[in-house]
Amino acid sequence: MGLNDKISNKAEDLGGKAKEAAGDVTGDDQLKSEGKGDQLSAAVKNGAEKVKDAAENIKDKLTGN
């Protein structure tokens, strides 16, 4: 996973946590849900990047790189 991807995913996760917290404090359920959605999106992207990295490592081992 590239550094830019890691930073982007972390920023999305932290932004989601902030939205969720703000929604919780203000009683705004929509904002809270958006925050949870942002966190889920970041987690899915993180997971996809890890699968991509694992596949790349397997390919490298098979080809001797």
Side-chain angles (χ1 to χ4, degrees):
M1 175 181 337
L3 181 60
N4 288 338
D5 292 331
K6 286 182 182 179
I7 291 170
S8 176
N9 292 343
K10 191 63 174 176
E12 186 173 11
D13 181 55
L14 291 174
K17 287 180 181 181
K19 277 186 185 178
E20 183 181 4
D24 196 33
V25 168
T26 62
D28 186 339
D29 290 336
Q30 182 176 351
L31 185 60
K32 190 174 178 180
S33 293
E34 285 178 22
K36 287 182 180 184
D38 290 350
Q39 291 173 67
L40 179 59
S41 174
V44 168
K45 289 176 188 175
N46 235 1
E49 286 294 328
K50 287 181 181 182
V51 168
K52 182 177 151 188
D53 288 346
E56 188 70 28
N57 287 339
I58 291 169
K59 182 191 87 151
D60 288 346
K61 287 181 182 179
L62 292 174
T63 60
N65 291 335

